[in-house]
Amino acid sequence: MSAVEQRAYPRIKPPSSVLGAWRSGMQRDVSNIESLAVGGVFLRTKKKVAIRSLVQILLDMPLGQVRGRGVVRRHQEHYGIAVQFIAMDPEDRGRLLRQIRDLSTPAAG
């Protein structure tokens, strides 16, 4: 039997046109998004960001920009950081939910 998924929210792989600009302390970067969920995002970056660091995020998505704050939960050296969302305005949360729903729904043929 395979391991049971423990995540609270399913992840999606957004199109390469969806980018995330982020800042943590003095570090800044614009990164491709490896995976996206209501609870967080995995950003591709070679920059090392310490676990539990606070991160400001701006996601540039087809339905509009989404701003939020998060905390680094995991770091894969030379690959990227996993950021859990901890604060987001209701309007941004709504855009994020709609975008994830739209990207998760297969296009009607």
Side-chain angles (χ1 to χ4, degrees), residues 20-58:
W22 59 271
R23 179 175 68 193
S24 181
M26 297 300 289
Q27 294 191 84
R28 295 172 184 244
D29 203 0
V30 175
S31 301
N32 289 317
I33 297 173
E34 183 74 20
S35 65
L36 177 65
V38 173
V41 63
F42 190 90
L43 300 164
R44 296 284 309 264
T45 182
K46 292 185 178 186
K47 295 188 178 192
K48 183 167 181 160
V49 184
I51 303 294
R52 295 187 296 277
S53 294
L54 295 177
V55 180
Q56 291 181 339
I57 298 176
L58 170 65

Side-chain angles (χ1 to χ4, degrees), residues 24-98:
S24 181
M26 297 300 289
Q27 294 191 84
R28 295 172 184 244
D29 203 0
V30 175
S31 301
N32 289 317
I33 297 173
E34 183 74 20
S35 65
L36 177 65
V38 173
V41 63
F42 190 90
L43 300 164
R44 296 284 309 264
T45 182
K46 292 185 178 186
K47 295 188 178 192
K48 183 167 181 160
V49 184
I51 303 294
R52 295 187 296 277
S53 294
L54 295 177
V55 180
Q56 291 181 339
I57 298 176
L58 170 65
L59 303 175
D60 189 18
M61 299 201 266
L63 289 180
Q65 294 182 336
V66 173
R67 295 176 189 274
R69 288 181 307 212
V71 62
V72 175
R73 294 296 181 201
R74 188 168 42 91
H75 173 263
Q76 288 182 285
E77 193 152 345
H78 304 298
Y79 188 72
I81 55 174
V83 178
Q84 177 185 7
F85 296 134
I86 58 171
M88 192 176 289
D89 288 338
E91 296 84 13
D92 289 298
R93 175 75 61 188
R95 274 192 298 278
L96 177 65
L97 289 167
R98 283 191 305 277

